[in-house]
Amino acid sequence: MIEKSILQEVLNEALKTGGDFAEIYIEQNDLNTAYMTDGKVESVLSGKDYGAGVRILSGFKCIYAYTNDLSREGLLKIARDASYALTGVKNVESRDFIKLDYTNAHPISIVPSAVDISKKVSKVKEAYTIAKSYSSEIVQVSVRYVDNDKKVLIANSEGLFAEDRRIRTRMAIEAVASDGNENQTGFFGPGRLMGFEFFDNVDIEWHAKEAARIAVTMLHADLCPSGVMPVVIDNGFGGVIFHEACGHSLEATSVAKGHSVFSGKLGQRIASEVVTAIDDGTIQNAWGSSNIDDEGHPTQRNVLIENGILKGYMIDMLNGRRMNMKPTGNSRRESYKYAPTSRMTNTFIAKGDKTPEEIIKSTEYGLYAKYMGGGSVNPVTGDFNFAVNEAYLIKDGKIDRPVRGATLIGKGSEVLLDIDMVGNNLELGQGMCGSVSGSVPANVGQPMIRVKKMTVGGRR
């Protein structure tokens, strides 16, 4: 994107007031969306964004500045402006670049820019029609298609020079069912690190019907009882509880400053012995994957918890300095407007040895959370409150009637210790994860698990 000689100039300009490390991140991002609701295609949009960010480190201090002026003068200006935050003298020279060599682990078959927009709109209409025709009780359907083609270049004063291209495609389907008095919603949002071949790998018909089915099922569900009881959480997006209530507490962003309940606990038991948890940014064409992270480190498979023992954290360069630990390929950012920090990629509880049927059969009474919704988490304590989009009571080891209005309330560190059964049906679910470095695509996941006791909030 930019001549290497200019990059070297920019890095040396950034180092002139005493920084010990400088980095430039350059990005070009092409985005296409199509949105349909109430039987009409409301918008079809295309956009392009580009820019650069310069980061300077001095010990544990970080200075960051960004611009969308990619001229030599524009880049030198932000490097100079950022350097003014330090008052020392230059003692480090930027090294010659060595390009990072890697094999692209995420091949793209059909680049979205090569596909006519009419074909993208056709996929939106198809999903809309399937969901809307599921039942006469479906009163509203919204479908959004997004494809994103991001090219990044990362160079730093230690001689690293790395490039990556990340193409992602996603379709989000929301269906609303109504009986005239009450409304219920179902949602599915499959996504992959893929081009338009996404539609050859993901069954959009199933996802559209499932979004509608959830809405209709919950419309006729009884109110959920409240109380403390065993809770069986299904696979896929059920992993959002681990992601939010535990995963963020394993990111160096909070661990390095002692803001996590898991700070200083490496080698200690923090979960039940049936729990192994992994963050893996290398899974081929997975939603949260990439070849390199946003500091230019290759992504990797990181075992966070093994048989209940805390084995590792997700670490970026700056917080790695604070912790005296190496980066783990987890440094991420939404765009050039954000400095990177440690973030999850594809984070999941590993599969166990129980079948879903065994887990349900061994539960005399409890709640079966088939699909999880959104919620809130205190990142320091791990206290959480999550809605359940589709839930059922379990009675005498069998799935009983559907119930609505269920919420799961608890503390991440306690739930980890109370997981007593882990299924063998691991799946991943897609979402957007927000933190101090913006919103990034992330997979959550797990097999079916049982938590032996949780507080269930209901409406009666």
Side-chain angles (χ1 to χ4, degrees):
M1 299 178 190
I2 305 290
E3 291 180 17
K4 290 183 180 180
S5 59
I6 295 176
L7 298 177
Q8 286 286 12
E9 278 190 85
V10 172
L11 293 172
N12 279 311
E13 185 72 19
L15 292 169
K16 71 177 185 179
T17 55
D20 58 59
F21 173 87
E23 169 196 84
I24 183 166
Y25 171 92
I26 302 173
E27 173 186 282
Q28 177 181 305
N29 192 25
D30 296 293
L31 181 70
N32 297 285
T33 67
Y35 177 68
M36 182 174 183
T37 189
D38 293 330
K40 298 177 182 178
V41 178
E42 293 285 343
S43 64
V44 179
L45 301 172
S46 295
K48 184 187 294 287
D49 191 18
Y50 57 87
V54 171
R55 181 170 63 145
I56 307 170
L57 302 184
S58 178
F60 299 153
K61 188 174 183 179
C62 174
I63 302 100
Y64 192 74
Y66 67 88
T67 183
N68 58 12
D69 180 356
L70 299 186
S71 68
R72 174 180 175 274
E73 293 73 21
L75 295 175
L76 286 170
K77 182 179 185 301
I78 61 161
R80 188 177 306 115
D81 290 347
S83 73
Y84 289 154
L86 300 174
T87 57
V89 296
K90 187 171 185 177
N91 51 37
V92 175
E93 194 80 20
S94 182
R95 300 177 191 168
D96 291 341
F97 294 136
I98 299 175
K99 185 172 183 179
L100 178 69
D101 262 338
Y102 62 82
T103 300
N104 179 22
H106 313 288
I108 302 297
S109 301
I110 307 172
V111 176
S113 59
V115 178
D116 191 85
I117 191 64
S118 63
K119 291 186 178 180
K120 300 174 183 180
V121 172
S122 177
K123 292 295 185 183
V124 170
K125 290 180 176 179
E126 178 186 342
Y128 179 93
T129 300
I130 291 167
K132 188 70 170 66
S133 61
Y134 179 83
S135 166
S136 59
E137 292 178 312
I138 297 294
V139 296
Q140 185 179 51
V141 173
S142 300
V143 180
R144 185 181 299 277
Y145 164 91
V146 179
D147 68 57
N148 177 266
D149 185 349
K150 180 182 289 189
K151 302 179 184 75
V152 302
L153 183 156
I154 303 149
N156 69 36
S157 57
E158 295 180 345
L160 179 139
F161 182 93
E163 296 175 283
D164 196 13
R165 185 178 186 183
R166 301 143 183 187
I167 295 178
R168 289 185 170 89
T169 303
R170 191 183 193 195
M171 180 171 276
I173 306 160
E174 183 176 75
V176 179
S178 179
D179 60 6
N181 296 310
E182 178 118 12
N183 295 338
Q184 291 292 325
T185 301
F187 174 83
F188 254 100
R192 299 289 187 275
L193 184 70
M194 289 181 176
F196 206 67
E197 72 274 13
F198 165 79
F199 291 102
D200 297 325
N201 291 271
V202 175
D203 188 345
I204 293 300
E205 179 179 359
W206 181 87
H207 286 89
K209 285 181 178 178
E210 194 71 350
R213 185 198 61 77
I214 295 168
V216 172
T217 300
M218 289 296 96
L219 186 65
H220 300 285
D222 294 335
L223 295 175
C224 181
S226 59
V228 177
M229 64 186 77
V231 175
V232 174
I233 305 172
D234 214 341
N235 62 356
F237 202 72
V240 70
I241 291 184
F242 177 81
H243 172 100
E244 293 289 355
C246 305
H248 282 297
S249 296
L250 295 173
E251 294 169 336
T253 312
S254 57
V255 175
K257 297 179 180 179
H259 296 163
S260 167
V261 293
F262 302 125
S263 294
K265 292 189 176 180
L266 280 177
Q268 297 181 31
R269 177 169 299 284
I270 64 165
S272 159
E273 64 182 12
V274 299
V275 175
T276 292
I278 294 163
D279 181 89
D280 188 350
T282 71
I283 300 172
Q284 188 174 59
N285 294 106
W287 178 242
S289 293
S290 58
N291 289 300
I292 57 174
D293 72 2
D294 290 335
E295 291 178 332
H297 303 114
T299 53
Q300 62 189 55
R301 183 180 188 270
N302 298 299
V303 177
L304 306 173
I305 303 168
E306 186 173 32
N307 301 325
I309 305 300
L310 179 60
K311 291 292 186 177
Y313 302 113
M314 293 164 281
I315 305 170
D316 60 284
M317 183 178 179
L318 175 60
N319 287 301
R321 287 184 171 194
R322 294 185 172 115
M323 299 166 68
N324 196 27
M325 299 178 76
K326 292 180 179 179
T328 58
N330 285 93
S331 192
R332 306 184 71 193
R333 61 180 107 197
E334 177 180 333
S335 74
Y336 66 90
K337 298 177 182 178
Y338 295 85
T341 193
S342 53
R343 304 290 297 275
M344 286 173 276
T345 60
N346 308 297
T347 314
F348 54 91
I349 295 174
K351 70 178 182 179
D353 60 359
K354 305 298 182 185
T355 66
E357 293 77 16
E358 286 176 309
I359 294 174
I360 296 295
K361 188 176 181 179
S362 66
T363 306
E364 185 176 343
Y365 177 81
L367 186 77
Y368 168 44
K370 184 171 176 63
Y371 288 122
M372 293 301 303
S376 60
V377 179
N378 182 320
V380 177
T381 64
D383 291 327
F384 65 81
N385 186 316
F386 276 92
V388 184
N389 280 355
E390 182 180 5
Y392 298 81
L393 288 180
I394 300 173
K395 288 187 177 180
D396 301 321
K398 297 178 181 179
I399 296 174
D400 195 57
R401 66 186 189 275
V403 289
R404 57 190 167 93
T407 57
L408 302 183
I409 303 163
K411 191 187 196 85
S413 57
E414 294 175 358
V415 167
L416 283 177
L417 291 165
D418 284 338
I419 296 172
D420 63 355
M421 298 184 81
V422 177
N424 60 6
N425 59 336
L426 172 64
E427 283 192 12
L428 301 177
Q430 292 73 58
M432 295 299 294
C433 174
S435 187
V436 293
S437 62
S439 179
V440 298
N443 260 332
V444 303
Q446 64 177 40
M448 178 184 282
I449 64 171
R450 186 176 73 177
V451 183
K452 61 186 179 184
K453 63 178 186 300
M454 283 187 82
T455 299
V456 176
R459 298 187 185 178
R460 64 178 177 86

